Amino acid sequence: MNPFRWSYRVSFFAGFLICAGLLGFALFAEYHWGMFPCPLCIFQRVGFLVMALFFLLGALHAPRGGGRWVYTGGALLGAIFGIAVAGRHLWIQSLPADQVPSCGPPLDYLFSAFPFAKVLQLVFTGSGECAKLEPILGLPMPAWTLLWFIVLAVLAIVATRPRVPQK
């Protein structure tokens, strides 16, 4: 079971299952452990959702040649977005307590009161709730999501690279 030898379809289906599992774990942590998501956590979920969508579509369609890069590009966009959000989240968590931004309004209010670009700006400035550390197996949740975004991006690229025929 060498993932470097998996077909495009199998790799992308595995990527979809991983994303679905990570989103399921996020919901489990929210509803059973009381780890309510901050705005940056929600945006990381959006990154995984985008990746899951492109992984699933790529697995179902399994195009040949350059067409594969359409789905890989979509998955990589989700990964890049997620890496940026998780990196920002980790940076906010590393700030000293006196430098952490104050808590802002909830995300649903922001979307109802501001245009999308302004919401993004407000969310990326962070809030006090984003600085809360709740480690899982010794690492905060954004560190885990950063790791998974990188692993899934590598999976997408490896699955899409041209195969050398075996002799």
Side-chain angles (χ1 to χ4, degrees), residues 5-103:
R5 294 182 176 250
W6 288 351
S7 71
Y8 178 86
R9 178 169 278 164
V10 169
S11 297
F12 266 55
F13 189 65
F16 166 74
L17 290 178
I18 291 168
C19 288
L22 292 168
L23 289 167
F25 179 78
L27 292 173
F28 174 82
E30 178 180 349
Y31 291 107
H32 291 284
W33 291 347
M35 295 176 72
F36 297 104
C38 69
L40 290 174
C41 293
I42 292 170
F43 279 8
Q44 289 169 69
R45 290 181 186 185
V46 169
F48 283 123
L49 191 60
V50 168
M51 291 187 79
L53 176 69
F54 280 101
F55 275 131
L56 180 61
L57 291 174
L60 294 174
H61 183 210
R64 300 268 180 217
R68 292 179 172 188
W69 285 103
V70 172
Y71 299 110
T72 301
L76 290 177
L77 282 176
I80 290 167
F81 175 76
I83 288 168
V85 173
R88 177 71 175 172
H89 199 166
L90 286 170
W91 178 78
I92 289 171
Q93 288 183 339
S94 73
L95 291 174
D98 63 330
Q99 293 180 12
V100 172
S102 62
C103 289

Side-chain angles (χ1 to χ4, degrees), residues 104-137:
L107 195 58
D108 57 345
Y109 170 77
L110 291 176
F111 276 116
S112 67
F114 299 104
F116 184 71
K118 181 69 174 174
V119 171
L120 283 177
Q121 178 187 6
L122 291 170
V123 167
F124 275 99
T125 58
S127 66
E129 63 194 48
C130 295
K132 187 176 175 184
L133 282 173
E134 297 183 47
I136 298 172
L137 298 175

